[in-house]
Amino acid sequence: VLARQINALCGPEISARDAAWAPPDFHARFSAIWRHYRYLVHNDRVPHPFRAATAWHVTAPLALRAMQLACDPIMGERDFSAFCRRPKPDPDADESREPSLRRHVMRASWRDEGDGLLRFDVRANAFCHQMVRSLVGTLVDVGAGRRPPSDMMALIASGDRAEASTLAPPHGLCLWEVGYPADALGAPVGAYVRFLLTAAQTLAPHLGSQAPLKAAQLEFQDRVLVVCPFPGGVAAVLVRDTPGASGVKAWMRGRLT
């Protein structure tokens, strides 16, 4: 009912697919454990009228392989001072401590969607101001041959914002997804996720190299959980909606018997 009311007030620009109660201490920004941004580039000689509002039109041919190579140094925990706009000083903050621009990037990749549309996806625990647009502007320069892929590591090491390329325009950028811990998903899903994690953590040390699966995709209550067993631990990520729930029992039977 609440989702329908939100859509009646805010649609079609804003659409709510579902609504659920969250814990009292839930915060949409500060409870998040990762953010996922997507940037679209229309790479063609002529403009595309239906992409004009949502994709950056770049006429120079772009080498996708070079752009992907330049993504490798971005991965992991880095100081992204070279790609971030310095925050304004907080008069109430400790003057001896500058705000940290270190961020942990979990994913950075380019994909050719066909018909001249290139898609950049980047996921991190947090982002600083203008970070994604600065990364895209620099990566597009790499793809256009204006700078080599090896520049990315040197830029990160320099910490010099002036050495990075021009910002990509804002209209190609979209906040695609936000990740929250299991406790913030609501009681039914959160309880089941915690149960799966407990089971997987118990099994992980015994799997070793004989593990039948490196990663398992679980479906539960229209959501997908990917559980990856590693030596001594397990990583789990809630990744997207899915239309069914058929995978849970089969996966659990295979692991617990």
Side-chain angles (χ1 to χ4, degrees), residues 48-206:
H48 195 300
F50 297 110
R51 296 176 183 166
T54 57
W56 178 19
H57 181 206
V58 177
T59 56
L62 299 178
L64 196 66
R65 179 171 174 76
M67 295 160 71
Q68 188 59 50
L69 283 172
C71 286
D72 289 347
I74 300 171
M75 302 288 289
E77 186 173 339
R78 306 277 188 268
D79 185 333
F80 285 95
S81 296
F83 299 97
C84 296
R85 182 176 178 179
R86 287 278 174 188
K88 294 180 180 179
D90 185 351
D92 298 324
D94 184 353
E95 295 182 1
S96 64
R97 297 182 61 186
E98 289 190 8
S100 173
L101 298 180
R102 294 189 69 84
R103 302 292 186 267
H104 184 186
V105 174
M106 309 162 189
R107 174 184 175 187
S109 63
W110 284 93
R111 177 172 176 174
D112 188 347
E113 296 285 89
D115 195 26
L117 185 64
L118 305 180
R119 190 183 88 195
F120 177 63
D121 286 285
V122 60
R123 178 177 295 184
N125 64 330
F127 292 87
C128 44
H129 193 204
Q130 298 182 341
M131 176 175 161
V132 179
R133 291 170 56 202
S134 181
L135 286 169
V136 172
T138 304
L139 290 166
V140 164
D141 272 359
V142 169
R146 289 189 281 267
R147 59 194 316 164
S150 57
D151 265 12
M152 293 300 289
M153 183 59 79
L155 274 170
I156 293 172
S158 74
D160 187 354
R161 178 68 187 89
E163 294 296 319
S165 299
T166 304
L167 287 173
H171 65 276
L173 183 64
C174 175
L175 175 60
W176 189 254
E177 192 176 7
V178 180
Y180 295 98
D183 289 340
L185 302 177
V189 177
Y192 201 81
V193 168
R194 287 192 294 274
F195 166 71
L196 291 173
L197 286 176
T198 301
Q201 286 168 345
T202 302
L203 290 165
H206 306 288

Side-chain angles (χ1 to χ4, degrees), residues 25-33 35 180:
D25 59 348
F26 174 80
H27 192 289
R29 177 184 175 190
F30 298 116
S31 297
I33 55 176
R35 290 90 173 154
Y180 295 98

Side-chain angles (χ1 to χ4, degrees), residues 210-233:
Q210 302 301 316
L213 294 173
K214 291 184 178 179
Q217 178 171 298
L218 313 181
E219 300 175 3
F220 176 69
Q221 294 197 353
D222 298 331
R223 289 169 174 81
V224 170
L225 180 77
V226 171
V227 173
C228 302
F230 297 101

